[in-house]
Amino acid sequence: MPMSDACNVGAERLHLEAEEQARKAAEEEKRQELIQLQTEREDARLASERQQLEPTFGNLKNKCAQERKLQQQAEDWERYLSCTPLPDVRDAAGLHAYFAEAATRQHKDITSVLHTCQEHYTLIRQCQQVHLAALQKGDTDLQQHCQKCVRQWQTVMEDAIDAHTASILQNPEEHQDEAGGMQVCSQTSMLKYGLWVNTSKNPRLKTVDFPQLGISVEIPKLIALASVALRVQWRECDEHLEQCATDFMAVGGVLHLDILSLPVPSNKANGWTLRPFTHDSLVIHRLAYPTPPAGADPETWVPEEEPQPIGISISLPQGSILPSMELQAAFWDHKHSLWSTADMSSVTVSNDSEVVSFQSKAIGCLAVVQKRTGLLPYQGNPDISLTLKVTKEGIELVEPRLPRLAGVRGRSFAAPVLLFELMQRGLYLNPQARDAGPADIALKEANVATAMCEDMALLSSTHLIKHSRWNRHLGAQVCLGRISQVNDWEEGGRIEVRHLDRIFAKEQPSGPHQVLALMRRGLKGVALTDALDSRTSCPALPQYGSSEYDNTFLDRLHASIPALLSASAAQDTQDAAETVPATLEVLQKRHVFLPTCQEPVLEEGNLH
């Protein structure tokens, strides 16, 4: 090809590329103009809807604040009538005064120590409840206050029990029985304490029983021949629930198993008892298992032989073990902040009681654990069917009727308190961000998830609500659920679980049992979308700049649920402005707290 022709071809190609780039730039400019126009138009419409609804939601906010104030006054009055010596955990001054008084108490025996520790444990439980409520509200200052108090109380309890244990070991003659053996036991409703001192060093001794506590420890010969003490402590609460890096939680409390060194024994001469007393006399010394030889570094020493396991049997509180939940034995790994199942045997549960048995090569904090996320996401369980009743006084647990839940069922609680009580009994229904991975749940942005919950709450007394299988596929800023309005209140209302399952399984596109997919896109607003579970794939959401965004009612954002449902009802009247107050009136008739000052112009049956 001649040089001139080649140059002409190259110039033409460059000219075509320049034209193509100019065309794309013009299309992109036009698209950006359309996006800006759509955004401005949508923002203006949303602002108008928010302005129209502002008085209503302002009244709702004020009413909720008044309800919370009345509830707090009732709680304060109930606390006053109970004459409890314990302070309100939110009252910093009251807590300081309580600690000052508790620090001056003189304990004559381990039982009085445990009673003081039970007070601390009660405050820890209250603090955990307040922390849970603060977590839901996003109150970081109150969360930090609660965490600080819990750590402080745990340290105070540990120090008090350790100091009295050291006192018992310094004065063994006061606790020996006629045969020369030494065992001290005491318990409260939330704590158990047992101390056994090896005074015989009998190689044939296999088991140390604490029958009063329902605890039995099978000791290997290494411990049977050693001059040591064995201490067991059972505590009702899982004190590591918030710190655990994995998805395990303790079932039926935790067991602290410690091997302690014995102080230098006393001597008797001429009616005198001579007892060595040093600065370490009121401090206990925990030993590792197996115990390193003298001079060895406990951190680096490795035993030449595999240590024999320690057998443990413990009677858990009635109903601690939930049906269909797999149990494992674990010890608390302080270094990694998790329940570790290494060096632990499988768990054996007796057929006729709540006695569990396992073997461990580790000592310290031990527990029978289950997956914290075993019931998540909660969609019903053949063995654990959960039914809650919402009343003005609070939330009541109706089912399951398990023995462990007898103290909770039928009583009204605030939502965070009920969730905490269920969590303490192994029924974990309060997922946090850390549970998303183990539970295979798509994590949403916290403020978006909160807004979606508030949206659904507005519909809770007028609609059936169910999850959407496409929710996890739409990213962190989009939440999706399904709703169906209840229209047959005169016939009792199809509001039972069997009705809900049948209605959402059919997903009728119209009629009295129509199912709609409700979507929240960030904090901007809510929309109805064509993302029902019956679809074979998750539909793509229309984007700004597309003709679909302007030409369909579906996926069009509205400021709130009332505005959305009003716009849906207005498809026949073509006048959404008139139907917004009517929608509020309909919701109010179904006991949603949405006071409105305008007269209704839409009948209930017309609201889709």
Side-chain angles (χ1 to χ4, degrees), residues 70 95 112 163 165 172 178 197 220 312 317 322 342 347 360 377 438 521 537:
L70 293 175
L95 290 177
S112 63
T165 300
E178 297 179 355
V197 177
I312 298 169
L322 297 176
V347 176
S360 170
R521 297 187 76 166
S537 61

Side-chain angles (χ1 to χ4, degrees), residues 31-137:
R31 191 178 73 86
Q32 292 298 328
E33 291 177 356
L34 179 58
I35 289 176
Q36 183 177 359
L37 179 62
Q38 288 176 333
T39 303
E40 291 176 352
R41 190 163 54 228
E42 183 179 73
D43 289 345
R45 177 170 51 79
L46 294 177
S48 176
E49 291 178 352
R50 291 191 182 97
Q51 184 179 8
Q52 186 178 9
L53 293 168
E54 186 175 352
T56 296
F57 285 112
N59 291 337
L60 173 62
K61 184 177 180 180
N62 292 336
K63 186 167 185 176
C64 289
Q66 183 65 22
E67 290 288 341
R68 284 193 291 268
K69 181 179 180 180
L70 293 175
Q71 186 180 43
Q72 185 61 50
Q73 289 175 349
E75 292 176 0
D76 293 342
W77 179 246
E78 184 177 355
R79 172 182 292 275
Y80 176 77
L81 293 179
S82 67
C83 298
T84 176
L86 303 181
D88 187 337
V89 295
R90 293 164 294 191
D91 180 9
L95 290 177
H96 180 76
Y98 170 79
F99 271 117
E101 183 276 329
T104 62
R105 296 182 189 177
Q106 299 295 322
H107 301 292
K108 62 179 181 179
D109 53 26
I110 190 63
T111 300
S112 63
V113 175
L114 292 186
H115 281 295
T116 297
C117 290
Q118 173 139 326
E119 288 185 4
H120 295 340
Y121 236 117
T122 301
L123 290 172
I124 287 177
R125 287 173 61 94
Q126 293 176 7
C127 233
Q128 290 173 330
Q129 292 177 8
V130 173
H131 178 270
L132 187 59
L135 189 66
Q136 294 177 343
K137 296 177 182 178

Side-chain angles (χ1 to χ4, degrees), residues 23-24 28 55 58 71 150 153 240-241 258 267 320 344 358 437 447 468 493 524 544 568 577 579 599:
R23 184 184 64 81
K24 290 182 177 180
E28 177 62 22
Q71 186 180 43
V150 168
W153 284 322
H240 302 298
L241 182 62
D258 298 308
N267 292 319
S320 296
M344 309 292 288
F358 59 90
N447 53 357
S468 169
K524 198 166 187 179
Y544 290 115
S568 175
T579 60
E599 293 298 324

Side-chain angles (χ1 to χ4, degrees), residues 365-435:
C365 185
L366 311 175
V368 175
V369 298
Q370 69 183 30
K371 289 287 187 179
R372 189 176 63 245
T373 56
L375 295 177
L376 301 178
Y378 184 79
Q379 299 179 21
N381 184 296
D383 297 313
I384 306 174
S385 177
L386 183 70
T387 304
L388 301 176
K389 180 181 179 182
V390 181
T391 66
K392 185 176 181 180
E393 290 73 25
I395 302 178
E396 295 181 11
L397 176 69
V398 180
E399 291 181 343
R401 296 181 175 276
L402 299 174
R404 180 68 166 149
L405 304 177
V408 179
R409 192 174 59 251
R411 298 171 54 195
S412 293
F413 295 91
V417 177
L418 178 60
L419 289 173
F420 176 80
E421 293 296 337
L422 294 178
M423 181 173 62
Q424 292 297 320
R425 291 161 173 81
L427 207 58
Y428 187 83
L429 299 172
N430 189 54
Q432 301 176 22
R434 59 177 179 157
D435 301 318

Side-chain angles (χ1 to χ4, degrees), residues 440-457:
D440 191 26
I441 297 174
L443 190 62
K444 305 293 182 178
E445 292 186 3
N447 53 357
V448 178
T450 299
M452 184 64 171
C453 290
E454 292 174 351
D455 294 335
M456 290 300 192

